[in-house]
Amino acid sequence: MNIIDPRPSVISQRFSQVKNIIAVTGFKGGVGKSGVSCALALALTEKGFKTGLFDLDFSGASDHLILGSGKVFPREEKGLLPPYVHGIKFMTASYFSSDKAIALRGSSVSSAIKELFTVTIWGELDYLIFDMPPGVGDAAFEVMNLIPSAIILPVQTPCSLSAKVMERSLEIYKEGKFKVLKTVQNMAVSKEKGFYHQIFYDKKWPKAAGKADKLIKTSFYADTFGLAGKLVKESSL
Amino acid sequence: MHEWALAESVVKTLKNRKKTVFEAEVIFGTLQDIDEEIFTFALKEILNQEDFKVKIKITKEDAVFECLSCGKIFDLKEGTKDEIEKENIHFLPEMAKVFLKCPSCKAKDFEIKKGRGLSLKLKEK
Ligand SMILES: Nc1ncnc2c1ncn2[C@@H]1O[C@H](COP(=O)(O)OP(=O)(O)OP(=O)(O)O)[C@@H](O)[C@H]1O
Ligand SMILES: [Mg+2]
Ligand SMILES: [Zn+2]
């Protein structure tokens, strides 16, 4: 007699109609992963793509605050259907926490992510963005184990520890045969070569949090819109 | 109704092992509070579309928690009475850590030792 967790068996099926999965990652905290994830999802939606966003930072969930998602909740059918927020199919653990802080140890994070991977019905999507917690931790391992098609989009800032540390953490994904894009530099202050894309420092961005109409008027959004264009080109290759 | 998605995972797991499995026990952890009627209905419907047969029984396992701060073992009698909190735990059992606390020292740092959610015990050739 062996005891088995049945959930992983259906997970690949749950993403079978999702054309592109992009995991926005970064070695350090606070480099702008969540902002880039939200703006990217808004930009892809504006471009007319069916887009989803999954906040995989369960303990530090923040996308609902950035987007100002309000009091929406998944619809229960043969699973959980993520509600639309500004046209984005949006999933987050914060739906289930009644505005309380979520403090989870590693094994609980893994199990909670597996649960939502199992029961969330995404349906057809052109792009699904994963907003990852900082570093290579439990969420990253769940993605690596369960979502082999994920494309890794790393974000760093000009003052990020050292590019070397970042490179080393990306090796883990590369060893797992994941497609890793060149790094996005966020909070850029001057034009530099060698990045996938640059998003410049924008003092209006933090102030626009929670108000989608304001977010899309920032230069942060305009820069991320450019990033979305590159990703679309990339995925049509 | 999201029981349907969970039932699918059980059928898929059985299907992957259909050559060897002859008996399965689906265990519901009481923390997640899965609706047995809906689950059983979904399970039958999904299995009907498959070409294999397995004997399935459903059992329940009571939730047991262990406080990682003071060591106290406790159960769902100390659980939440709030319907919304119960529903949140139903969708995502780990949310127990948000809504429950150790009855002895009030810590939220506890382990779900048993009875979290869905698991499967298989008898295989
Ligand atoms: N280009 C930018 N210009 C100005 N402020 C920015 C920029 N990018 C991000 N910020 C601000 O920096 C803070 C951190 O951003 P964000 O939450 O997106 O980072 P994160 O990498 O997701 O953080 P965490 O690791 O905590 O999840 C926020 O207050 C955000 O508004
Ligand atoms: Mg973040
Ligand atoms: Zn205690």
Side-chain angles (χ1 to χ4, degrees), chain A residues 30 32-35 55 57 60 62-63 131-134:
Chain A
K33 299 174 292 296
S34 297
D55 193 341
D57 191 353
S62 55
D63 294 349
D131 177 12
M132 304 297 294

Side-chain angles (χ1 to χ4, degrees), chain A residues 75-87:
Chain A
R75 195 151 56 91
E76 197 180 3
E77 271 185 18
K78 291 179 173 177
L80 294 179
L81 307 188
Y84 282 96
V85 171
H86 313 305

Side-chain angles (χ1 to χ4, degrees), chain B residues 66-74 101-110:
Chain B
E66 181 181 348
C67 177
L68 293 172
S69 172
C70 76
K72 165 100 178 160
I73 306 280
F74 58 105
K101 49 182 181 281
C102 167
S104 173
C105 77
K106 310 290 176 222
K108 288 195 164 190
D109 190 16
F110 56 84

Side-chain angles (χ1 to χ4, degrees), chain A residues 4 14 76-77 105 115, chain B residues 1-2 8 109 116 120:
Chain A
I4 294 179
R14 296 289 181 245
E76 197 180 3
E77 271 185 18
R105 284 180 183 252
E115 190 74 27
Chain B
M1 272 300 275
H2 91 295
E8 268 177 352
D109 190 16
R116 172 204 173 273
L120 199 52

Side-chain angles (χ1 to χ4, degrees), chain A residues 28-36 57 60 62 66 131-134 186-188 199-207 220:
Chain A
K28 283 227 309 174
V31 295
K33 299 174 292 296
S34 297
V36 171
D57 191 353
S62 55
I66 297 174
D131 177 12
M132 304 297 294
N186 182 31
M187 304 194 209
I199 298 169
F200 282 81
Y201 179 81
D202 175 7
K203 65 176 190 309
K204 291 200 178 125
W205 176 253
K207 289 183 195 138
F220 181 101

